[in-house]
Structure formats: C-alpha cells, structure tokens
Amino acid sequence: MNTIHTLKNMKAAGEKIAMLTCYEASFARLMSEQGVDVLLVGDSLGMAVQGKSSTLPVSLDDICYHTAAVARGNEQALIMADLPFGSYQQSKEQAFAAAAQLMAAGAHMVKLEGGAWIAETTAFLQQRGIPVCAHIGLTPQSVNTLGGYKVQGRGAAAAQLMDDAQAHANAGADVVLMECVPAQLAAQVTAALSCPTIGIGAGVDCDGQVLVMHDMLGIYHGKTAKFVKNFMQGQNSIQAAIATYVAEVKAKTFPAEIHSFGN
C-alpha cells in the first residue's frame, strides 16, 4: 500500500507520481490495478458527478460517502480526500473534526485549499496524526474571490505563491498541490521544497500530476481546460486510457508544453 513515505521516496528517486480523482469502488480498483499512485476523492465530484456548477455545494457527508466507496475498491493507491468548502475554514478544531471523519471513512491524507493564512491549520492537523496536502494557486473553493478560474502566480504574485508553498512545507505539509500556475514558477517551488509537489496545469517539472477522471476520459461536457488531455483517444478501453496516462506521467511526456502556462 502506498503511503506518504512512498511519495517522498518517489520524489527523492525522481519518479513521477501519477494521481487521478476517483469517486467509487469500481474505478478505485481499476485505477489501482493500472498503477495510479494516488486516488483523490475530490470535491470536483460536485460538477463531475452531481452536475452542480461549482465545488462549493459539496458537503462533508458527500466526501465521506465517496471516500468509503473508494476505500472498499482500492488495492494499492494512497487515498487523499478533500476537505470541502465550509468544513475547515472556521477554526483549526473544526478542521480536525472534519478531517477525522474523512480518515475514519478510509482516507490516508486530507487536502485543504489556501495559502499561508491556512498553514497554521496544516500544522494543527499534522501534529495530530493527519497527513495534509496543501492546495495552492487556483483554489476552486475561492473562485468567487479570485474572479474566475484564472492562472495564479504571474508577475508580482509569484513571490506570494512561493511564500504560500514554503509556509505549508514549514508547517509539515506532506504534499503541495499547485493548480494553474506558470510552469517555470512551479518548477522553482518543486526544487525549493523537500515534500512532493503535484501539478494540474503547473507544468511537467512538478513531482507528480493529477487530472479529474472524467476530463482525462473525455466524458465531461463542460469547457475543456488547457491542461486537460483526453487519454481515451486512440484507446479501446478505459483500462488502456488510464495505463497510458500513468505511463505518460512517468515518462514526463504529459503534460506537454501545450498543456502548460507561461509566466
């Protein structure tokens, strides 16, 4: 079974981490069999599964339900579960209570969104035995304050993003996930941190990559983001598509330059 130590050893060895969102048992088993290293029970289920317009309406009960389903099907992967909007921002104690529910449901790590301002919560959880992935850059739960789904960390904002990453790393984050960040900046963050980084729209130099399952299978009918690739094209099965995704992440051929953002 993959653990946080597995991921740290992969970073040290230069082996890329392949991560996909997953919401139920059958896909959990299939992804694990095809070598996906980390399964993310993401609040993206609000849009991809529930048909909602954003991640904001997703509840803690929703994430717990899907985490338990993924845990029942998983064989080898590390399971990461999102702390949904409103379940951790009020206080560190609120965050711990929510994270404890996700861990009881079968998660091995929780993910929270936000920069240096939430790093104290990262430390609070980590000190109490809960591994944390810190999600920085484009944070979908803050889409209304960010003014939409836009690239983060360009120009003068680069220093703040680096500070955010360092704050979480110093607080004990086991993983830092960067979304929609210029590739050059993401590479600098990755080089500066001892913990693994995962990118989505953050270039090939992150320690690993993640995509929403529905996006990489070409079955989500919303607007296709620049960083998405349809891995079903040219394949005759879902298993083959997932295996190709894992292989391209490991070979550093995905993401290509066309899937990345400049400064």
Side-chain angles (χ1 to χ4, degrees):
M1 180 71 70
N2 289 342
T3 68
I4 57 174
H5 297 294
T6 306
L7 304 187
K8 291 175 181 178
N9 290 338
M10 290 174 73
K11 177 182 175 82
E15 179 184 354
K16 297 295 186 180
I17 300 163
M19 177 171 162
L20 284 171
T21 65
C22 188
Y23 314 103
E24 47 105 302
S26 296
F27 271 98
R29 183 173 296 106
L30 188 156
M31 289 180 184
S32 182
E33 290 172 349
Q34 298 305 317
V36 177
D37 300 304
V38 181
L39 305 179
L40 170 62
V41 185
D43 56 9
S44 51
L45 70 87
M47 294 176 284
V49 177
Q50 297 174 331
K52 295 173 180 175
S53 60
S54 74
T55 65
L56 299 180
V58 176
S59 70
L60 181 60
D61 285 345
D62 290 336
I63 302 290
C64 285
Y65 172 88
H66 288 276
T67 298
V70 168
R72 286 190 286 268
N74 179 48
E75 296 179 351
Q76 182 64 32
L78 181 146
I79 299 173
M80 181 188 299
D82 271 344
L83 285 164
F85 180 71
S87 70
Y88 62 97
Q89 294 93 338
Q90 186 175 5
S91 68
K92 301 187 295 293
E93 291 76 16
Q94 180 202 31
F96 177 79
Q101 288 190 51
L102 293 177
M103 299 295 281
H108 305 125
M109 176 184 294
V110 300
K111 179 165 72 67
L112 52 76
E113 294 184 9
W117 65 272
I118 198 73
E120 190 175 333
T121 298
T122 293
F124 190 85
L125 296 178
Q126 193 275 339
Q127 290 162 4
R128 286 156 180 79
I130 298 178
V132 175
C133 172
H135 183 157
I136 62 174
L138 172 59
T139 48
Q141 292 178 11
S142 302
V143 63
N144 291 313
T145 56
L146 294 175
Y149 298 95
K150 301 177 180 179
V151 179
Q152 304 295 309
R154 281 178 168 157
Q160 182 60 60
L161 190 133
M162 178 64 81
D163 288 346
D164 290 340
Q166 291 281 14
H168 281 290
N170 293 340
D174 293 288
V175 176
V176 171
L177 187 150
M178 293 178 280
E179 181 170 355
C180 288
V181 171
Q184 183 178 359
L185 175 59
Q188 292 169 350
V189 171
T190 299
L193 300 187
S194 59
C195 67
T197 63
I198 302 292
I200 177 167
V204 73
D205 291 317
C206 294
D207 295 310
Q209 302 294 327
V210 63
L211 283 178
V212 172
M213 176 189 81
H214 295 71
D215 288 342
M216 63 82 61
L217 294 176
I219 57 175
Y220 181 62
H221 299 292
K223 182 180 178 182
T224 300
K226 174 184 173 70
F227 54 76
V228 169
K229 178 178 178 179
N230 180 358
F231 283 87
M232 274 302 296
Q233 291 182 343
Q235 305 299 330
N236 59 10
S237 70
I238 291 174
Q239 289 91 331
I242 293 172
T244 300
Y245 167 75
V246 172
E248 291 196 13
V249 170
K250 300 287 186 181
K252 308 177 188 179
T253 55
F254 177 80
E257 188 174 348
I258 61 170
H259 306 113
S260 304
F261 300 100
N263 290 332

